[in-house]
Amino acid sequence: YLLSQPGQVYVLDTDDENPQAESWFDISDRLISGGERGLLGLAFAPDYHDSGRFYVYYTAPSPLRSVISRFSLDTDGVPDTDSEEILLEFNQPFGNHNGGQISFGPDGYLYIASGDGGSGGDPQGNAQNTSNLLGAMLRIDVDTEGATYNIPADNPFLLNGGGEHEIFAWGLRNPWRFSFDRETGELWTGDVGQNAWEAIHIIENGKNYGWNIIEGSHCYPIGTTCDTEGLEMPIFEYNHNQGDRSITGGYIYRGERNSALTGRYIYGDFISGRVWALDYDSDTETVHSNTELANTPYNISSFGEDAFGEVYILSYSNGRIYTLLASPAAPQVVEPEPDDIVQPEFVISWNEDLGAETYGYQIAADPDFDEILFEGTTSETTQTLSWDGADTDVWLRVRAENEVGESDYSVVVPFRIETPVSTEPGGDLPEKITLMQNYPNPFNPTTTISFELPESQFVRIEVYDINGRSVGTVTEQQFSSGRHDVRFDASGLASGLYIYQLRTDDLNISRQMMLIK
């Protein structure tokens, strides 16, 4: 559903191969548009599919005022413009800072962002005056019978007096676009600054965010002194030095296409067209980074979020909507595991990144990847490879790629390629091994592997499953001549056929054993 400032709502069916926006709702005859006025907000009731109710926020003339209204569908499922029920109105002394967004929170209440009434510097002191509804985040309960709305029981001034009951938080200048984190429920907003600072707030019940005592975290007017006791500071702010002059609030990213952005606040600037991802830890109240994602030529008026958590950028300058696609995150190698021993025909695999179009992999004969043995690009997350050389240690790394760019390489995984030498039980043994067996066999959960050496040698005994994957090292040390017994504990393995391999400097010998639990 697409809002246009002059008063129309369009619907776009993205399941269509060539979707076209179609008119769905039009109240252009009852509002005033232009500048910061017009149709500014739309919210569907949580039970919309049953009730057909939806809510709008618009600017009406004569007198200039903000209106929050409820509409419903007619019997044919079409929006009924005659069904309007005005829930709340408050006058606007100036034509700017209408705020405008509305949204249902995870608590089921309707939240309403209200600007300070406009002009410059809040000349009427509205944002700090809780006897009006300007410069505040409002919260009302519209799921009522016999009343237009009720006041939630924990709204601060319903409990304690001293202000309008609809107020949830106050001290905001122009909270232009807010959103709820769909995972944590936190309420995030961008608050447009005056001449110097743009702010990002996490809005909480009963808190005063300081305007016009402070702009961002700085006393207003800039350069003066003020008392900031009891004021809530922004979690992040930026100045106008780089041409960024009007923040547009966005969303905490919870989609799947851009996993590197998960949990970051995506927001932009209306004037500069820049878009950032803010990495903020609410538990420690720490900003870890603020990364520029794009420097666009657009006036970014709003962001959108779809049912899958993907984020969209709305351009006021050309009326277009853009998707967000970032470079993918570095994959994590799943197979083989570090220090595995694999057979000459082996499988490599890694986790999927939905933002990736292809993956590039490299296997090298050295950890610096100077000598590449395998290299390729694939759209799959698994590859089967064959090695026809001598037994060798190798190193694997993978990276993800899309049209935007490439990720870093994964953590490097070392492993070894070996050709097993199999000798059937009872067959002739090489001269240097006069005994190799295990008892009991079948066993559960331990067995003793015995071998006899005619001379001192370094011995490694490794156990593999039937797919050739190493499941454990029994021993890896120097042994003297004579008979030796080593114990293998298979407590962590499933029942099945296993192969144990004894390896010295110049030979490999394998035997089979059966684990039955």
mmCIF file of all heavy atoms in Angstrom, residues 247-289:
data_model
loop_
_atom_site.group_PDB
_atom_site.id
_atom_site.type_symbol
_atom_site.label_atom_id
_atom_site.label_comp_id
_atom_site.label_asym_id
_atom_site.label_seq_id
_atom_site.Cartn_x
_atom_site.Cartn_y
_atom_site.Cartn_z
ATOM 1 N N ILE A 247 17.076 14.295 9.146
ATOM 2 C CA ILE A 247 17.042 12.846 9.301
ATOM 3 C C ILE A 247 15.681 12.276 8.917
ATOM 4 O O ILE A 247 14.634 12.882 9.155
ATOM 5 C CB ILE A 247 17.406 12.435 10.741
ATOM 6 C CG1 ILE A 247 17.640 10.922 10.829
ATOM 7 C CG2 ILE A 247 16.349 12.888 11.742
ATOM 8 C CD1 ILE A 247 18.241 10.469 12.145
ATOM 9 N N THR A 248 15.714 11.099 8.278
ATOM 10 C CA THR A 248 14.515 10.312 8.000
ATOM 11 C C THR A 248 14.679 8.970 8.687
ATOM 12 O O THR A 248 15.580 8.195 8.348
ATOM 13 C CB THR A 248 14.320 10.103 6.487
ATOM 14 O OG1 THR A 248 14.164 11.379 5.854
ATOM 15 C CG2 THR A 248 13.094 9.250 6.212
ATOM 16 N N GLY A 249 13.830 8.722 9.686
ATOM 17 C CA GLY A 249 13.935 7.481 10.445
ATOM 18 C C GLY A 249 13.565 6.263 9.628
ATOM 19 O O GLY A 249 12.776 6.342 8.680
ATOM 20 N N GLY A 250 14.134 5.114 10.006
ATOM 21 C CA GLY A 250 13.907 3.887 9.245
ATOM 22 C C GLY A 250 13.526 2.708 10.105
ATOM 23 O O GLY A 250 12.640 2.810 10.972
ATOM 24 N N TYR A 251 14.211 1.589 9.915
ATOM 25 C CA TYR A 251 13.846 0.324 10.545
ATOM 26 C C TYR A 251 15.085 -0.431 11.020
ATOM 27 O O TYR A 251 16.151 -0.344 10.407
ATOM 28 C CB TYR A 251 13.108 -0.580 9.546
ATOM 29 C CG TYR A 251 11.735 -0.085 9.171
ATOM 30 C CD1 TYR A 251 11.573 0.841 8.153
ATOM 31 C CD2 TYR A 251 10.605 -0.537 9.850
ATOM 32 C CE1 TYR A 251 10.312 1.307 7.803
ATOM 33 C CE2 TYR A 251 9.346 -0.077 9.512
ATOM 34 C CZ TYR A 251 9.201 0.839 8.494
ATOM 35 O OH TYR A 251 7.947 1.299 8.162
ATOM 36 N N ILE A 252 14.903 -1.200 12.079
ATOM 37 C CA ILE A 252 15.886 -2.217 12.436
ATOM 38 C C ILE A 252 15.744 -3.350 11.420
ATOM 39 O O ILE A 252 14.656 -3.896 11.246
ATOM 40 C CB ILE A 252 15.650 -2.754 13.858
ATOM 41 C CG1 ILE A 252 15.857 -1.649 14.899
ATOM 42 C CG2 ILE A 252 16.600 -3.923 14.142
ATOM 43 C CD1 ILE A 252 17.285 -1.202 15.059
ATOM 44 N N TYR A 253 16.839 -3.700 10.776
ATOM 45 C CA TYR A 253 16.760 -4.689 9.698
ATOM 46 C C TYR A 253 16.616 -6.096 10.264
ATOM 47 O O TYR A 253 17.441 -6.553 11.054
ATOM 48 C CB TYR A 253 18.006 -4.613 8.808
ATOM 49 C CG TYR A 253 17.922 -5.573 7.647
ATOM 50 C CD1 TYR A 253 17.135 -5.270 6.546
ATOM 51 C CD2 TYR A 253 18.594 -6.781 7.662
ATOM 52 C CE1 TYR A 253 17.028 -6.154 5.481
ATOM 53 C CE2 TYR A 253 18.503 -7.666 6.616
ATOM 54 C CZ TYR A 253 17.715 -7.350 5.525
ATOM 55 O OH TYR A 253 17.602 -8.234 4.480
ATOM 56 N N ARG A 254 15.537 -6.766 9.850
ATOM 57 C CA ARG A 254 15.278 -8.150 10.268
ATOM 58 C C ARG A 254 14.981 -9.033 9.060
ATOM 59 O O ARG A 254 14.333 -10.081 9.201
ATOM 60 C CB ARG A 254 14.096 -8.201 11.243
ATOM 61 C CG ARG A 254 14.319 -7.423 12.545
ATOM 62 C CD ARG A 254 15.442 -8.012 13.366
ATOM 63 N NE ARG A 254 15.643 -7.265 14.615
ATOM 64 C CZ ARG A 254 16.671 -7.489 15.435
ATOM 65 N NH1 ARG A 254 17.573 -8.405 15.162
ATOM 66 N NH2 ARG A 254 16.803 -6.765 16.540
ATOM 67 N N GLY A 255 15.445 -8.636 7.886
ATOM 68 C CA GLY A 255 15.216 -9.434 6.689
ATOM 69 C C GLY A 255 16.252 -10.535 6.552
ATOM 70 O O GLY A 255 17.036 -10.816 7.467
ATOM 71 N N GLU A 256 16.275 -11.160 5.366
ATOM 72 C CA GLU A 256 17.180 -12.279 5.118
ATOM 73 C C GLU A 256 18.135 -12.026 3.951
ATOM 74 O O GLU A 256 19.135 -12.720 3.821
ATOM 75 C CB GLU A 256 16.371 -13.551 4.838
ATOM 76 C CG GLU A 256 15.548 -14.022 6.041
ATOM 77 C CD GLU A 256 14.819 -15.316 5.768
ATOM 78 O OE1 GLU A 256 14.412 -15.527 4.604
ATOM 79 O OE2 GLU A 256 14.653 -16.110 6.715
ATOM 80 N N ARG A 257 17.822 -11.066 3.096
ATOM 81 C CA ARG A 257 18.666 -10.849 1.917
ATOM 82 C C ARG A 257 19.999 -10.220 2.277
ATOM 83 O O ARG A 257 20.969 -10.383 1.551
ATOM 84 C CB ARG A 257 17.944 -9.960 0.898
ATOM 85 C CG ARG A 257 16.710 -10.573 0.278
ATOM 86 C CD ARG A 257 16.133 -9.632 -0.777
ATOM 87 N NE ARG A 257 17.045 -9.456 -1.891
ATOM 88 C CZ ARG A 257 16.957 -8.461 -2.759
ATOM 89 N NH1 ARG A 257 16.027 -7.534 -2.610
ATOM 90 N NH2 ARG A 257 17.805 -8.378 -3.763
ATOM 91 N N ASN A 258 20.042 -9.477 3.379
ATOM 92 C CA ASN A 258 21.232 -8.721 3.745
ATOM 93 C C ASN A 258 21.661 -9.081 5.166
ATOM 94 O O ASN A 258 21.525 -8.281 6.089
ATOM 95 C CB ASN A 258 20.950 -7.221 3.645
ATOM 96 C CG ASN A 258 20.470 -6.808 2.272
ATOM 97 O OD1 ASN A 258 21.200 -6.902 1.295
ATOM 98 N ND2 ASN A 258 19.227 -6.354 2.186
ATOM 99 N N SER A 259 22.153 -10.294 5.341
ATOM 100 C CA SER A 259 22.408 -10.798 6.692
ATOM 101 C C SER A 259 23.438 -9.957 7.436
ATOM 102 O O SER A 259 23.413 -9.903 8.665
ATOM 103 C CB SER A 259 22.860 -12.256 6.629
ATOM 104 O OG SER A 259 24.037 -12.394 5.845
ATOM 105 N N ALA A 260 24.334 -9.282 6.716
ATOM 106 C CA ALA A 260 25.331 -8.453 7.393
ATOM 107 C C ALA A 260 24.694 -7.259 8.091
ATOM 108 O O ALA A 260 25.306 -6.653 8.969
ATOM 109 C CB ALA A 260 26.376 -7.967 6.388
ATOM 110 N N LEU A 261 23.452 -6.915 7.730
ATOM 111 C CA LEU A 261 22.773 -5.765 8.322
ATOM 112 C C LEU A 261 21.822 -6.147 9.451
ATOM 113 O O LEU A 261 21.201 -5.265 10.053
ATOM 114 C CB LEU A 261 21.979 -5.016 7.243
ATOM 115 C CG LEU A 261 22.781 -4.459 6.075
ATOM 116 C CD1 LEU A 261 21.856 -3.761 5.080
ATOM 117 C CD2 LEU A 261 23.865 -3.507 6.553
ATOM 118 N N THR A 262 21.695 -7.416 9.753
ATOM 119 C CA THR A 262 20.735 -7.861 10.758
ATOM 120 C C THR A 262 20.957 -7.147 12.096
ATOM 121 O O THR A 262 22.077 -7.083 12.606
ATOM 122 C CB THR A 262 20.839 -9.382 10.959
ATOM 123 O OG1 THR A 262 20.515 -10.031 9.728
ATOM 124 C CG2 THR A 262 19.880 -9.850 12.045
ATOM 125 N N GLY A 263 19.864 -6.593 12.638
ATOM 126 C CA GLY A 263 19.928 -5.910 13.921
ATOM 127 C C GLY A 263 20.402 -4.473 13.849
ATOM 128 O O GLY A 263 20.475 -3.805 14.878
ATOM 129 N N ARG A 264 20.688 -3.975 12.650
ATOM 130 C CA ARG A 264 21.160 -2.592 12.516
ATOM 131 C C ARG A 264 20.004 -1.679 12.100
ATOM 132 O O ARG A 264 19.091 -2.089 11.386
ATOM 133 C CB ARG A 264 22.310 -2.508 11.502
ATOM 134 C CG ARG A 264 23.499 -3.371 11.913
ATOM 135 C CD ARG A 264 24.723 -3.075 11.106
ATOM 136 N NE ARG A 264 25.848 -3.905 11.522
ATOM 137 C CZ ARG A 264 27.101 -3.713 11.141
ATOM 138 N NH1 ARG A 264 27.399 -2.708 10.335
ATOM 139 N NH2 ARG A 264 28.066 -4.511 11.557
ATOM 140 N N TYR A 265 20.083 -0.439 12.546
ATOM 141 C CA TYR A 265 19.049 0.552 12.257
ATOM 142 C C TYR A 265 19.370 1.220 10.928
ATOM 143 O O TYR A 265 20.397 1.903 10.787
ATOM 144 C CB TYR A 265 18.981 1.577 13.384
ATOM 145 C CG TYR A 265 17.882 2.610 13.227
ATOM 146 C CD1 TYR A 265 16.547 2.233 13.189
ATOM 147 C CD2 TYR A 265 18.192 3.966 13.129
ATOM 148 C CE1 TYR A 265 15.537 3.171 13.066
ATOM 149 C CE2 TYR A 265 17.192 4.912 13.007
ATOM 150 C CZ TYR A 265 15.858 4.514 12.973
ATOM 151 O OH TYR A 265 14.877 5.457 12.838
ATOM 152 N N ILE A 266 18.495 1.042 9.946
ATOM 153 C CA ILE A 266 18.678 1.605 8.621
ATOM 154 C C ILE A 266 17.922 2.929 8.554
ATOM 155 O O ILE A 266 16.713 2.967 8.770
ATOM 156 C CB ILE A 266 18.163 0.655 7.529
ATOM 157 C CG1 ILE A 266 18.700 -0.771 7.747
ATOM 158 C CG2 ILE A 266 18.522 1.175 6.148
ATOM 159 C CD1 ILE A 266 20.196 -0.880 7.741
ATOM 160 N N TYR A 267 18.612 4.012 8.263
ATOM 161 C CA TYR A 267 17.989 5.340 8.231
ATOM 162 C C TYR A 267 18.701 6.192 7.190
ATOM 163 O O TYR A 267 19.732 5.779 6.617
ATOM 164 C CB TYR A 267 18.042 6.000 9.615
ATOM 165 C CG TYR A 267 19.422 6.436 10.031
ATOM 166 C CD1 TYR A 267 19.819 7.775 9.919
ATOM 167 C CD2 TYR A 267 20.352 5.524 10.528
ATOM 168 C CE1 TYR A 267 21.087 8.180 10.288
ATOM 169 C CE2 TYR A 267 21.626 5.926 10.900
ATOM 170 C CZ TYR A 267 21.994 7.248 10.777
ATOM 171 O OH TYR A 267 23.255 7.648 11.135
ATOM 172 N N GLY A 268 18.162 7.378 6.909
ATOM 173 C CA GLY A 268 18.761 8.218 5.884
ATOM 174 C C GLY A 268 18.601 9.695 6.187
ATOM 175 O O GLY A 268 18.126 10.089 7.259
ATOM 176 N N ASP A 269 18.970 10.512 5.210
ATOM 177 C CA ASP A 269 18.858 11.960 5.337
ATOM 178 C C ASP A 269 18.146 12.502 4.100
ATOM 179 O O ASP A 269 18.530 12.199 2.961
ATOM 180 C CB ASP A 269 20.235 12.604 5.477
ATOM 181 C CG ASP A 269 20.139 14.081 5.861
ATOM 182 O OD1 ASP A 269 19.989 14.932 4.956
ATOM 183 O OD2 ASP A 269 20.184 14.363 7.064
ATOM 184 N N PHE A 270 17.105 13.316 4.333
ATOM 185 C CA PHE A 270 16.272 13.846 3.251
ATOM 186 C C PHE A 270 17.067 14.772 2.333
ATOM 187 O O PHE A 270 16.855 14.803 1.120
ATOM 188 C CB PHE A 270 15.075 14.596 3.846
ATOM 189 C CG PHE A 270 14.135 15.175 2.819
ATOM 190 C CD1 PHE A 270 13.171 14.379 2.221
ATOM 191 C CD2 PHE A 270 14.219 16.505 2.460
ATOM 192 C CE1 PHE A 270 12.299 14.906 1.271
ATOM 193 C CE2 PHE A 270 13.361 17.048 1.511
ATOM 194 C CZ PHE A 270 12.395 16.244 0.914
ATOM 195 N N ILE A 271 17.967 15.549 2.882
ATOM 196 C CA ILE A 271 18.698 16.542 2.105
ATOM 197 C C ILE A 271 19.871 15.920 1.349
ATOM 198 O O ILE A 271 20.040 16.120 0.144
ATOM 199 C CB ILE A 271 19.187 17.691 3.006
ATOM 200 C CG1 ILE A 271 17.988 18.373 3.687
ATOM 201 C CG2 ILE A 271 20.004 18.695 2.200
ATOM 202 C CD1 ILE A 271 16.998 18.994 2.729
ATOM 203 N N SER A 272 20.708 15.169 2.034
ATOM 204 C CA SER A 272 21.919 14.631 1.399
ATOM 205 C C SER A 272 21.656 13.372 0.587
ATOM 206 O O SER A 272 22.426 13.057 -0.323
ATOM 207 C CB SER A 272 22.979 14.323 2.465
ATOM 208 O OG SER A 272 22.597 13.200 3.250
ATOM 209 N N GLY A 273 20.605 12.625 0.915
ATOM 210 C CA GLY A 273 20.339 11.369 0.232
ATOM 211 C C GLY A 273 21.180 10.206 0.716
ATOM 212 O O GLY A 273 21.138 9.124 0.139
ATOM 213 N N ARG A 274 21.929 10.428 1.785
ATOM 214 C CA ARG A 274 22.756 9.328 2.282
ATOM 215 C C ARG A 274 21.930 8.364 3.132
ATOM 216 O O ARG A 274 20.956 8.752 3.781
ATOM 217 C CB ARG A 274 23.928 9.869 3.094
ATOM 218 C CG ARG A 274 24.941 10.629 2.228
ATOM 219 C CD ARG A 274 26.325 10.589 2.820
ATOM 220 N NE ARG A 274 26.455 11.417 4.017
ATOM 221 C CZ ARG A 274 27.523 11.392 4.810
ATOM 222 N NH1 ARG A 274 28.523 10.560 4.570
ATOM 223 N NH2 ARG A 274 27.587 12.194 5.863
ATOM 224 N N VAL A 275 22.356 7.080 3.132
ATOM 225 C CA VAL A 275 21.703 6.018 3.901
ATOM 226 C C VAL A 275 22.772 5.333 4.740
ATOM 227 O O VAL A 275 23.865 5.020 4.243
ATOM 228 C CB VAL A 275 21.019 4.992 2.988
ATOM 229 C CG1 VAL A 275 20.349 3.887 3.818
ATOM 230 C CG2 VAL A 275 19.983 5.670 2.094
ATOM 231 N N TRP A 276 22.446 5.089 6.015
ATOM 232 C CA TRP A 276 23.395 4.471 6.943
ATOM 233 C C TRP A 276 22.787 3.245 7.630
ATOM 234 O O TRP A 276 21.561 3.061 7.663
ATOM 235 C CB TRP A 276 23.814 5.451 8.036
ATOM 236 C CG TRP A 276 24.514 6.685 7.603
ATOM 237 C CD1 TRP A 276 25.858 6.864 7.419
ATOM 238 C CD2 TRP A 276 23.917 7.964 7.332
ATOM 239 N NE1 TRP A 276 26.126 8.154 7.051
ATOM 240 C CE2 TRP A 276 24.951 8.856 6.986
ATOM 241 C CE3 TRP A 276 22.602 8.434 7.336
ATOM 242 C CZ2 TRP A 276 24.722 10.184 6.654
ATOM 243 C CZ3 TRP A 276 22.365 9.764 7.003
ATOM 244 C CH2 TRP A 276 23.418 10.624 6.667
ATOM 245 N N ALA A 277 23.674 2.467 8.230
ATOM 246 C CA ALA A 277 23.288 1.357 9.110
ATOM 247 C C ALA A 277 23.967 1.579 10.454
ATOM 248 O O ALA A 277 25.199 1.557 10.550
ATOM 249 C CB ALA A 277 23.704 0.018 8.521
ATOM 250 N N LEU A 278 23.156 1.814 11.493
ATOM 251 C CA LEU A 278 23.669 2.076 12.839
ATOM 252 C C LEU A 278 23.672 0.777 13.636
ATOM 253 O O LEU A 278 22.627 0.136 13.797
ATOM 254 C CB LEU A 278 22.799 3.115 13.535
ATOM 255 C CG LEU A 278 23.193 3.479 14.972
ATOM 256 C CD1 LEU A 278 24.495 4.270 14.990
ATOM 257 C CD2 LEU A 278 22.077 4.265 15.657
ATOM 258 N N ASP A 279 24.842 0.402 14.133
ATOM 259 C CA ASP A 279 24.982 -0.794 14.963
ATOM 260 C C ASP A 279 25.012 -0.349 16.423
ATOM 261 O O ASP A 279 26.024 0.182 16.894
ATOM 262 C CB ASP A 279 26.267 -1.535 14.588
ATOM 263 C CG ASP A 279 26.430 -2.853 15.333
ATOM 264 O OD1 ASP A 279 25.499 -3.233 16.081
ATOM 265 O OD2 ASP A 279 27.473 -3.503 15.176
ATOM 266 N N TYR A 280 23.891 -0.573 17.115
ATOM 267 C CA TYR A 280 23.738 -0.106 18.500
ATOM 268 C C TYR A 280 23.350 -1.274 19.387
ATOM 269 O O TYR A 280 22.466 -2.075 19.048
ATOM 270 C CB TYR A 280 22.659 0.981 18.560
ATOM 271 C CG TYR A 280 22.365 1.490 19.953
ATOM 272 C CD1 TYR A 280 23.230 2.373 20.587
ATOM 273 C CD2 TYR A 280 21.220 1.085 20.640
ATOM 274 C CE1 TYR A 280 22.960 2.847 21.864
ATOM 275 C CE2 TYR A 280 20.945 1.548 21.913
ATOM 276 C CZ TYR A 280 21.817 2.428 22.524
ATOM 277 O OH TYR A 280 21.541 2.886 23.791
ATOM 278 N N ASP A 281 24.006 -1.381 20.532
ATOM 279 C CA ASP A 281 23.721 -2.423 21.509
ATOM 280 C C ASP A 281 22.877 -1.815 22.624
ATOM 281 O O ASP A 281 23.380 -1.032 23.434
ATOM 282 C CB ASP A 281 25.025 -2.985 22.059
ATOM 283 C CG ASP A 281 24.824 -4.205 22.957
ATOM 284 O OD1 ASP A 281 23.741 -4.308 23.587
ATOM 285 O OD2 ASP A 281 25.734 -5.044 23.029
ATOM 286 N N SER A 282 21.596 -2.179 22.675
ATOM 287 C CA SER A 282 20.700 -1.617 23.684
ATOM 288 C C SER A 282 21.072 -2.063 25.092
ATOM 289 O O SER A 282 20.827 -1.335 26.060
ATOM 290 C CB SER A 282 19.255 -2.008 23.381
ATOM 291 O OG SER A 282 18.818 -1.426 22.172
ATOM 292 N N ASP A 283 21.645 -3.252 25.221
ATOM 293 C CA ASP A 283 21.982 -3.760 26.544
ATOM 294 C C ASP A 283 23.098 -2.932 27.183
ATOM 295 O O ASP A 283 23.061 -2.620 28.379
ATOM 296 C CB ASP A 283 22.401 -5.230 26.464
ATOM 297 C CG ASP A 283 21.240 -6.138 26.081
ATOM 298 O OD1 ASP A 283 20.087 -5.768 26.375
ATOM 299 O OD2 ASP A 283 21.496 -7.196 25.486
ATOM 300 N N THR A 284 24.102 -2.585 26.399
ATOM 301 C CA THR A 284 25.232 -1.821 26.928
ATOM 302 C C THR A 284 25.132 -0.334 26.591
ATOM 303 O O THR A 284 25.993 0.444 27.010
ATOM 304 C CB THR A 284 26.556 -2.370 26.372
ATOM 305 O OG1 THR A 284 26.551 -2.233 24.938
ATOM 306 C CG2 THR A 284 26.723 -3.838 26.736
ATOM 307 N N GLU A 285 24.089 0.044 25.820
ATOM 308 C CA GLU A 285 23.895 1.429 25.378
ATOM 309 C C GLU A 285 25.154 1.943 24.673
ATOM 310 O O GLU A 285 25.643 3.041 24.940
ATOM 311 C CB GLU A 285 23.507 2.324 26.552
ATOM 312 C CG GLU A 285 22.205 1.892 27.221
ATOM 313 C CD GLU A 285 21.792 2.815 28.351
ATOM 314 O OE1 GLU A 285 22.598 3.674 28.737
ATOM 315 O OE2 GLU A 285 20.645 2.685 28.831
ATOM 316 N N THR A 286 25.654 1.132 23.754
ATOM 317 C CA THR A 286 26.896 1.434 23.047
ATOM 318 C C THR A 286 26.674 1.428 21.547
ATOM 319 O O THR A 286 26.059 0.500 21.012
ATOM 320 C CB THR A 286 27.972 0.390 23.393
ATOM 321 O OG1 THR A 286 28.173 0.371 24.815
ATOM 322 C CG2 THR A 286 29.289 0.710 22.693
ATOM 323 N N VAL A 287 27.165 2.461 20.872
ATOM 324 C CA VAL A 287 27.183 2.488 19.413
ATOM 325 C C VAL A 287 28.489 1.856 18.950
ATOM 326 O O VAL A 287 29.577 2.352 19.281
ATOM 327 C CB VAL A 287 27.065 3.922 18.864
ATOM 328 C CG1 VAL A 287 27.293 3.948 17.358
ATOM 329 C CG2 VAL A 287 25.700 4.509 19.195
ATOM 330 N N HIS A 288 28.396 0.768 18.198
ATOM 331 C CA HIS A 288 29.598 0.099 17.716
ATOM 332 C C HIS A 288 30.072 0.680 16.384
ATOM 333 O O HIS A 288 31.277 0.735 16.125
ATOM 334 C CB HIS A 288 29.349 -1.401 17.572
ATOM 335 C CG HIS A 288 29.075 -2.092 18.868
ATOM 336 N ND1 HIS A 288 30.001 -2.148 19.891
ATOM 337 C CD2 HIS A 288 27.977 -2.748 19.323
ATOM 338 C CE1 HIS A 288 29.493 -2.819 20.916
ATOM 339 N NE2 HIS A 288 28.265 -3.185 20.601
ATOM 340 N N SER A 289 29.127 1.080 15.533
ATOM 341 C CA SER A 289 29.521 1.644 14.243
ATOM 342 C C SER A 289 28.324 2.333 13.614
ATOM 343 O O SER A 289 27.165 2.083 13.983
ATOM 344 C CB SER A 289 30.046 0.551 13.304
ATOM 345 O OG SER A 289 29.018 -0.383 12.999
#
